[in-house]
Amino acid sequence: MALSCGGPPAEARPGGSGALLTLDRTPLLFGHDPTPGIVALDLAGDGGAIRVWRRTPGGTVVERERFQPFLLLADRALVAGAAGLVEVLPLEGGGELRWLARF
C-alpha cells in the first residue's frame, strides 16, 4: 500500500521526486486477522459484539463477531471508575504495562 505524505503531489512540489511512502503490511500496524474483503466495522447495540461487513463473490455479507475491548495499563488507577469496566487484572513480568483492563 502506498501513501502520499499529504499536500500536492510530489512532482508538483519544488524539488519533488514523485516518490511515495510505502508501508509494509506489518501485523503491528494492520492487525493479524487475514479475513478478506472487510469493508466496515460497527459496534453492535449491546457493546458485546462487532458487526463486520465483508465483500464476497456473492455480494456483501454482514457477520456478528464477539468483541471484548481491553486496555493495557501502567497504573490501574487510570481506569478507576471507568464506565463499563469489568475487571483489572495484574500481568506477569516486569514491563511497563502491568495491568489488563477488560470492559
Side-chain angles (χ1 to χ4, degrees):
M1 175 168 143
L3 301 174
S4 70
C5 297
E11 54 275 359
R13 287 179 269 162
S17 68
L20 294 176
L21 172 65
T22 301
L23 300 175
D24 293 329
R25 301 284 301 175
T26 59
L28 182 60
L29 183 59
F30 292 97
H32 294 278
D33 190 341
T35 304
I38 294 177
V39 176
L41 304 168
D42 182 40
L43 186 62
D46 62 3
I50 294 282
R51 287 186 297 265
V52 180
W53 280 264
R54 293 189 313 111
R55 282 199 184 101
T56 67
T60 303
V61 297
V62 180
E63 301 165 333
R64 187 178 167 102
E65 298 290 334
R66 184 176 176 270
F67 176 67
Q68 185 169 23
F70 68 93
L71 288 173
L72 298 175
L73 306 163
D75 183 353
R76 70 182 301 156
L78 293 170
V79 292
L85 183 65
V86 173
E87 65 182 341
V88 180
L89 302 169
L91 298 173
E92 294 180 14
E96 291 284 327
L97 301 175
R98 290 188 270 246
W99 300 95
L100 171 67
R102 292 182 42 229
F103 293 85

